[in-house]
Amino acid sequence: MAAAAALVRFRLAASSSLSASRAQCSQTAARRAALAAVQQVRCYAKPAKKQKLKGKDKEVEDVPAKKAKGVSTDALIPASQRIVSSEEYKKTEGKMLTVLEWFRKEVAALETRATGRVTPALLAPVRVKVPGGADSRGVRLEEVATVGVKEGTTLLVTVFEEHTLKHVEQAIYEAKIPSITPQRLDSRTIKIPIPKPTVGTRNALYTTATRLAEDARVQMRKHHQALLKREEITKHSPDYGTYQGLLDKLLGDVDKILAHLKKTTG
């Protein structure tokens, strides 16, 4: 009986040892399989390329070039600023400003006459046509004569050469300046008395300024329309407001000049 019990214990111990050995072998096989899987997916760095630079071997990393995505500076500038800086816009603006300055000078001369001040500027519109002159429109009065003021009420015109006196006198008549009547004093001098402006005279001067203002507006609109046509801009275009703003501003300046004259002349 004792021998049988010992044999049973021996067999149980052997069976337990065999099971433990098998479990250990299974664990070892699992570890080897996992290690093999890691080794298969391992990545290795590419070997550096060698290039010959000036006779020497240097290692250069093969890094793929990336294209820089640049942003055009035009996309960062507001559309209104791009328009006002364009060549066509600047040319048209210059032409319209020239018309405005012409109107400003004409009104300044009218204002001088309306307030009763006697200055040589009263004869600024006079253009003298001298025989043989290069300009068919005539030359300015100060190019052929001097203009002075006597006693604050009379203009004295003295020509440089006697033979031009009749041409100067004719030019003053042709200028059709209200209340301006030339009178010869001698072979080289013309006297022009300047009467004090009356209410009727001031009204006539303001009427003249109104007509000049309308002429200025018409010229500005022509230049503006030509610009819109060249740039192919219509009233439904997104940039139409920028172009229209130029015209509105300058027309507003014309109105301000005319309003100032009305206030001055009463």
Side-chain angles (χ1 to χ4, degrees), residues 156-157 162-170 173 181-193:
L156 291 178
V157 181
E162 292 184 6
H163 72 275
T164 61
L165 181 66
K166 61 180 180 179
H167 301 295
V168 171
E169 184 178 14
Q170 182 180 358
Y173 277 116
T181 304
Q183 302 173 3
R184 287 193 186 189
L185 286 183
D186 53 42
S187 60
R188 293 183 56 189
T189 308
I190 295 176
K191 179 180 72 172
I192 305 175

Side-chain angles (χ1 to χ4, degrees), residues 105-160:
K105 290 180 180 179
E106 292 294 327
V107 171
L110 294 174
E111 182 180 353
T112 299
R113 290 160 53 190
T115 55
R117 296 194 303 270
V118 179
T119 67
L122 293 174
L123 300 180
V126 177
R127 292 293 181 270
V128 183
K129 296 180 181 179
V130 181
D135 193 346
S136 59
R137 296 174 298 178
V139 297
R140 293 179 298 176
L141 181 60
E142 56 266 29
E143 294 183 28
V144 295
T146 60
V147 182
V149 180
K150 182 180 180 181
E151 298 177 357
T153 59
T154 305
L155 291 174
L156 291 178
V157 181
T158 304
V159 298
F160 300 143

Side-chain angles (χ1 to χ4, degrees), residues 72-86 239 242:
S72 174
T73 55
D74 291 341
L76 304 177
I77 302 176
S80 58
Q81 294 185 14
R82 291 201 304 271
I83 293 172
V84 298
S85 61
S86 66
D239 300 329
T242 303

